[in-house]
Amino acid sequence: MLTHERADRRDRVNRSLKKSFMKVNIRLYGLLRDVLPAEKKGRDLLDLAEGSTVQDALCLVGIRRPVITAVNELHEATLDHVLQDGDQMVVFIQAAGG
Amino acid sequence: MFGYTGKILHVNLTDHTLEVEEPSEQFYRDYVGGSLMGLYYLWKHTPQGVDAFDPRNTLALMTSAATGLPISGQSRCTAVCKSPTTQGVADSQAGGYWPAELKFAGFDGVVVHGASDTPVYLTIIEGDAKLHAADHLWGKTTLEVDKILQEELGDKKIEIAQIGPAGEKMARFGAIMNMSNRAWGRTGTGAVMGSKKLKAIVVRGTTKVQPADKKRLQTISRMGGKELKPSGMAAFGKYGTAGVVLPQQGDGGLPSYNWDTGVMSLEDAEMISGERLYDEILGGAADGKQKNKGRDTCFACTVRCKRVVDSEWQGNKLIPEYGGPEYETIATFGSYCGISDLHAVTYANQLCNEYGVDTISCGATISWAMECYENGVITKEETGGVELNYGNAEAMIEMLKMTLNREGFGDVLAEGSAAAADRLGKGHEYLLTIKGQELPAHMPQVKRSLGVIYAVNPFGADHQSSEHDPAYEEPYYEGTPEWTGYKRFLNQIGLDKPMHSYDLDEEKINYALTTQYTYSMADTMSVCQFVYGASWQLFGPQSMADLHSAATGWEMSVDEMQAAGRKRLNLMRAYNAREGLTRDNDTLPKKLFKKALAGGKSDGMVLDRAEFEHGLDMYYAQAGWSADTGTPTRATLEDCDLGWVADDLGL
Ligand code: SF4
């Protein structure tokens, strides 16, 4: 995605934060954990505007590389998947080998 | 010559004689080092058709030009011999400090011939080699031997490559160990060393390795320093290979319950993750000092991906010197067995390192036994009362101990799962083996070209012989404005047509084979495949070629580097042909074609035999191997400067 598109999306997320909220649990693994303060160990409760997508949540925490996301029991949620209040969103980094 | 010591030590254990060979410069140019050089000695010194445990089997341990230079990822060594598991070539790499120290001691490699009547160990100290009686070491575990030898030789700085009790008893997955936690793990090299009654090779020296171009070496090294964080290798160092557990879970590629599924429950996967290992089990975890107390490295490597643990399992201390589990070990003793007790898995890793066995084959053999037990194929009477159900960590540890000591049912399992199934006359449908060796923990169902590589790889299924499919997927290949994608390295070897992991066409085969040559060169140059590689590593193909050029002063291009990797692959394959292996041995386990995976992103996935066979055909055609026999053609061998091999094979 182009940088300005991402900035637009972030603005939209920020603006909409003033509207109605929902809570989404997020779990980040591996090097993604470092986008949150260390003591959170990759877990956080996000405040998101209703109607926010997986992509919005990723933008909010500042993840800007390709990842695999899963929401609740749904595996590989797409970036435009709309989140619901109370959802659990898991973010994996892809590992090529190792 | 620069880089090399110019000396190879030949040890004849039958008559206890030692000989120093000084090969010509041309030989070093032609055979480079590591695996390729070891294969040359195997071919020339081991008669065709001998059993792997025959004294005439030759065991070579080889380094290369860059080994011992002050740059990350160069301290590796390859062990080559005929494999007791695959009956073809055995080929395995280990890191640590031993490879660099061998160079400092004055040798590029050691070739072991014959077999001793009584246990012996070899010392190579400051250019001087000697054989010693090792009766007092026989039966001792690895850390015990480390301590005895340090005391006996009065030097704490010696480096020791040794076999544990499992290798002595010729368990087919016996490994050669160094530092009591680094393993030449796969293909049974430790069992062969045991058959020769060679307990250990001790090295110590102070002669520095001289590179041809110090400045160029420094430039490469500085570039690595700058790339450490942006490349993601700093995080790799932080969580180690164990950091791969959760990505595999997310991808539906974490082999679980003996490969019935590609996922555990998320909670279970988190329990065995590298993140949890880091947070709770590593040294220094209690006070957030893992960086200093919980990580270890190989000579001169800034990545520091090795684990140092400090904890306990059911009253058993988890000893720091035995290291911590790699991803593969966590998978085989953890997810393969449906076990989420990471402390138990760490203890299993410790026991394997203590006795000297390959954690992949050993753990996978136990998970095979578990599937047999769950299905009533193996009974409680046969296991001696051990209830081998999935998820039973106590039973896993108990059966592991029995296997390591070759007691009761453990004596059957010490042969590996394929031989155990033959001996019992049952359980074949649950086997996950190729050429008699257990699969590592990456799933061809979600990485289609890896399935072809598993099948054709000369020393059995290997996860470190080609780049995995996801690195060639669009988003990872392309990257983002903030994150460099893998194309930066893949383009250096001409790969520029990304595609999905589940695709298997001509281009995907080209990707697999081309990166196989790169990995093959890494094993020839004797460098770590986490530091040098074709996509996600710290250094790419160009830096690999530059490293060899800087070390030797012989300018090497990326194409020439790829050609040397191709030469090694073809020599291995020709060796297998010489020993009677054919295309018929290039298979995947039946279970992968029969049983669809259950759950997660890979739910319902099963391999298609027609697609796989077509993949093989494309691979042989691109590799220049006969589609009927799977043997390299004369034209291919001649193209690799291996015309003499074609002559030997009568092609
Ligand atoms: S990356 Fe890890 S295994 Fe490789 S050389 Fe460095 S510390 Fe050793």
Side-chain angles (χ1 to χ4, degrees), chain A residues 15-33:
Chain A
R15 271 198 308 279
S16 58
L17 278 173
K18 293 179 191 118
K19 298 178 196 162
S20 50
F21 285 103
M22 61 176 181
K23 303 257 185 214
V24 170
N25 273 295
I26 190 163
R27 291 191 200 181
L28 311 173
Y29 300 123
L31 58 88
L32 301 176
R33 298 212 298 181

Side-chain angles (χ1 to χ4, degrees), chain B residues 9 64 81 83-84 96 170 172 187 219 230 235 288 306 345 347 410 460 512 518 532 546 553 559 574 580 586 590 602:
Chain B
L9 178 67
S64 192
C81 58
S83 170
M170 294 184 279
R172 283 180 198 268
T187 61
T219 308
K306 297 291 141 194
V345 171
Y347 185 51
T518 313
Y532 301 87
D546 289 347
D559 284 351
D586 294 349
K590 286 194 186 80
S602 53

Side-chain angles (χ1 to χ4, degrees), chain B residues 248-414:
Chain B
Q248 296 281 68
Q249 165 83 7
D251 208 25
L254 179 67
S256 304
Y257 303 92
N258 206 38
W259 289 55
D260 273 357
T261 159
V263 288
M264 302 181 88
S265 73
L266 183 61
E267 279 62 37
D268 282 351
E270 283 186 341
M271 292 287 279
I272 58 166
S273 66
E275 290 81 340
R276 177 155 183 258
L277 185 67
Y278 185 87
D279 290 341
E280 295 181 29
I281 302 183
L282 289 198
D287 48 5
K289 299 235 164 75
Q290 297 97 318
K291 197 171 178 188
N292 295 327
K293 297 185 191 163
R295 288 168 60 183
D296 196 6
T297 191
C298 304
F299 173 74
C301 186
T302 54
V303 176
R304 301 178 66 240
C305 76
K306 297 291 141 194
R307 310 291 84 183
V308 180
V309 300
D310 186 7
S311 188
E312 62 166 57
W313 180 74
Q314 296 198 353
N316 298 285
K317 185 166 168 45
L318 300 176
I319 300 166
E321 285 87 341
Y322 284 121
E326 301 285 337
Y327 162 67
E328 291 291 332
T329 313
I330 293 179
T332 54
F333 285 104
S335 60
Y336 279 39
C337 295
I339 287 171
S340 58
D341 182 341
L342 188 54
H343 291 79
V345 171
T346 305
Y347 185 51
N349 179 65
Q350 174 168 314
L351 290 169
C352 289
N353 289 347
E354 214 176 324
Y355 282 75
V357 299
D358 172 28
T359 56
I360 299 178
S361 284
C362 187
T365 295
I366 291 177
S367 82
W368 166 79
M370 282 184 166
E371 184 166 13
C372 290
Y373 188 86
E374 291 273 351
N375 287 288
V377 172
I378 291 172
T379 63
K380 198 168 159 181
E381 285 68 50
E382 286 173 286
T383 63
V386 182
E387 294 179 4
L388 266 184
N389 297 99
Y390 287 134
N392 188 343
E394 285 81 6
M396 179 271 283
I397 293 290
E398 199 177 339
M399 191 48 70
L400 172 60
K401 285 183 176 169
M402 287 164 70
T403 303
L404 295 171
N405 289 305
R406 297 199 82 138
E407 284 167 11
F409 193 65
D411 185 50
V412 180
L413 297 187

Side-chain angles (χ1 to χ4, degrees), chain A residues 1 3 6 27 29-31 33-34 41 43 64-68 75-76 88 90 92-98, chain B residues 235 238-239 246-247 250-251 266-267 270 275 279 442 447 463-464 468 470-471 475-476 480 482-483 536 600-601:
Chain A
M1 190 196 306
T3 316
R6 189 174 298 109
R27 291 191 200 181
Y29 300 123
L31 58 88
R33 298 212 298 181
D34 295 342
K41 295 191 172 160
R43 292 180 182 224
R64 298 185 177 90
R65 54 183 287 161
V67 288
I68 300 172
H75 289 269
E76 201 172 37
Q88 180 185 275
V90 188
F92 304 97
I93 203 153
Q94 176 61 268
Chain B
K238 182 173 176 185
Y239 297 111
L246 286 168
D251 208 25
L266 183 61
E267 279 62 37
E270 283 186 341
E275 290 81 340
D279 290 341
H442 295 263
K447 298 175 176 180
H463 57 297
Q464 289 292 134
H468 294 193
Y476 312 107
T480 63
E482 297 87 357
W483 175 73
W536 53 273
K601 194 179 151 188

